[in-house]
Amino acid sequence: MREAYHLELGQLADKLASMCSKVAEAMELATTALLEANLSIAEQVISGDEAIDDARSACEEQAYALLALQAPVATDLRTVLAAIHAAESLERMGDLALHVAKAARRRHPAPVLPEQVHGYFAEMGRIAVALARKAEEVIRSRDVDAARAIEDADDEMDDLHRHLFTLIMNKEWEHGVASAVDVTLLGRFYERYADHAVSVAKRVVFVVTGRMPGTTSGDDL
């Protein structure tokens, strides 16, 4: 009985890892659509978002079934609860990639971004995808040190996000208010995507240690 139960927990972790892969691919494609004003790639991300939503539903269905039928305790209970929260974060990451793709579609055939900020968004896209890939590795390995290292990579994203504001607010910004709004919103999408990747990593730390990073007990979910 316990062997079958732990097999189901492993399957749940595999589903979450697969979600990480899906949202990484979505953001990678969305960034390409954004930088290249590529409508077909944007549409690919938009049409693929339903699969990410379905994946979250599948994770939650299995997690709630485990709660209802198996009454898990201690580490097993932490695993199931963390999976529910992680699935929510991963779906939101997919939604943020969707927002990027929709921005590219909305402005097509015109580019969304001024050339001045292309390099920043290329780097933000690279970091975002890397964070999702690292989250996938952490879910599979339950490596606490690797999970905590994701926060360091998130700091790079935060630095880029802050620097975008200095460009927009600079008196030499010559691309108008509409462009400034686009850059602000898109920067926020990438920054929030990274935050959710960190949240997923924190859930792994919680499963392994019983404590959420930054808290003094394991009671804070």
Side-chain angles (χ1 to χ4, degrees):
M1 184 69 130
R2 296 297 297 172
E3 183 178 345
Y5 177 57
H6 282 103
L7 178 61
E8 286 201 58
L9 287 177
Q11 291 171 345
L12 183 57
D14 286 341
K15 287 178 179 176
L16 290 171
S18 178
M19 280 191 75
C20 287
S21 180
K22 285 182 172 67
V23 300
E25 182 181 7
M27 185 55 92
E28 187 169 35
L29 291 172
T31 301
T32 298
L34 180 70
L35 296 175
E36 298 179 3
N38 189 311
L39 182 59
S40 64
I41 293 178
E43 293 288 3
Q44 184 178 342
V45 176
I46 293 165
S47 63
D49 184 63
E50 185 176 352
I52 295 173
D53 295 342
D54 290 344
R56 177 193 175 176
S57 296
C59 285
E60 288 187 340
E61 182 178 346
Q62 184 174 3
Y64 286 128
L66 287 169
L67 287 175
L69 300 176
Q70 303 290 346
V73 295
T75 301
D76 291 346
L77 178 60
R78 292 201 302 269
T79 300
V80 176
L81 294 177
I84 293 169
H85 287 284
E88 179 183 9
S89 287
L90 288 165
E91 184 194 17
R92 290 181 179 176
M93 290 166 74
D95 289 342
L96 290 160
L98 175 68
H99 294 334
V100 173
K102 284 185 173 180
R105 182 176 70 175
R106 185 173 61 252
R107 297 296 187 191
H108 189 269
V112 181
L113 301 174
E115 189 66 34
Q116 180 182 359
V117 298
H118 264 224
Y120 294 97
F121 279 93
E123 183 63 7
M124 291 172 82
R126 183 195 67 77
I127 293 170
V129 172
L131 285 170
R133 299 291 187 199
K134 288 177 182 177
E136 178 182 0
E137 294 171 7
V138 164
I139 287 170
R140 295 189 186 282
S141 68
R142 293 193 175 193
D143 186 327
V144 170
D145 290 336
R148 289 173 172 152
I150 288 180
E151 289 193 68
D152 295 333
D154 180 49
D155 289 341
E156 297 178 54
M157 182 73 83
D158 291 338
D159 289 343
L160 287 165
H161 186 231
R162 281 191 294 267
H163 193 68
L164 282 175
F165 282 104
T166 68
L167 293 176
I168 295 167
M169 299 304 294
N170 193 300
K171 63 182 180 180
E172 295 182 2
W173 177 262
E174 57 185 24
H175 307 289
V177 174
S179 181
V181 170
D182 282 338
V183 169
T184 300
L185 287 174
L186 286 162
R188 179 63 172 164
F189 296 154
Y190 282 92
E191 189 262 343
R192 290 299 298 145
Y193 183 101
D195 286 346
H196 283 298
V198 170
S199 178
V200 171
K202 285 182 176 180
R203 297 295 168 187
V204 174
V205 175
F206 171 68
V207 168
V208 176
T209 68
R211 295 185 178 184
M212 284 290 287
T215 67
T216 57
S217 74
D219 297 329
D220 183 9
L221 289 176

